[in-house]
């Protein structure tokens, strides 16, 4: 979840915060929702991006367990990385003791 390192596991030995630009996340979500998009009868990319932006604001400003970069977390920018690259980066960091 978006509060795992700050609320659920605050004392974890290793914490990673995955981040990507809004446009990248919207592209990924759009492709997930509409893998065979024809451009007809689907929400626009802009709508998907707007909904993610609203969720970001809602999650980061809620009273209980707001989304934050947990103390001691390593931030990994995933905008230009694939899933395997993110996993490899985390494994490399763990091997380095970070």
């Amino acid at each position: 979840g978006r509060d795992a390192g700050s609320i659920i596991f605050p004392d974890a030995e290793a914490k990673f915060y995955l981040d990507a630009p809004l446009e990248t996340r919207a592209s990924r979500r759009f492709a997930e929702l509409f893998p065979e998009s024809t451009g007809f009868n689907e929400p626009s990319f802009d709508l998907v991006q707007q909904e993610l932006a609203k969720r970001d604001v809602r999650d980061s400003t809620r009273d209980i367990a707001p989304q934050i970069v947990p103390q001691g977390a390593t931030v990994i920018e995933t905008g230009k990385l694939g899933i395997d690259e993110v996993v490899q980066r985390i494994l490399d960091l763990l091997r380095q003791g970070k």
Side-chain angles (χ1 to χ4, degrees):
R2 291 163 68 102
D3 61 355
S6 59
I7 301 298
I8 299 170
F9 302 108
D11 298 322
E13 290 182 34
K15 297 180 194 180
F16 301 97
Y17 184 89
L18 308 182
D19 198 18
L22 176 61
E23 187 171 336
T24 301
R25 292 184 295 119
S27 292
R28 291 172 179 169
R29 178 62 53 91
F30 190 83
E32 181 181 289
L33 293 171
F34 310 105
E36 298 180 25
S37 176
T38 62
F40 297 102
N41 298 321
E42 294 132 0
S44 70
F45 171 81
D46 289 340
L47 180 60
V48 172
Q49 187 168 320
Q50 289 170 13
E51 290 301 316
L52 279 178
K54 287 181 195 175
R55 183 182 112 179
D56 288 349
V57 170
R58 203 171 42 245
D59 286 357
S60 64
T61 60
R62 64 183 174 224
D63 291 334
I64 299 174
Q67 177 190 351
I68 59 168
V69 176
Q71 183 175 5
T74 299
V75 176
I76 300 175
E77 169 55 54
T78 67
K80 295 182 180 179
L81 301 176
I83 294 171
D84 291 340
E85 293 169 302
V86 172
V87 171
Q88 189 60 55
R89 184 150 308 165
I90 290 170
L91 292 173
D92 290 345
L93 288 165
L94 289 171
R95 286 185 191 108
Q96 295 170 19
K98 295 186 178 184

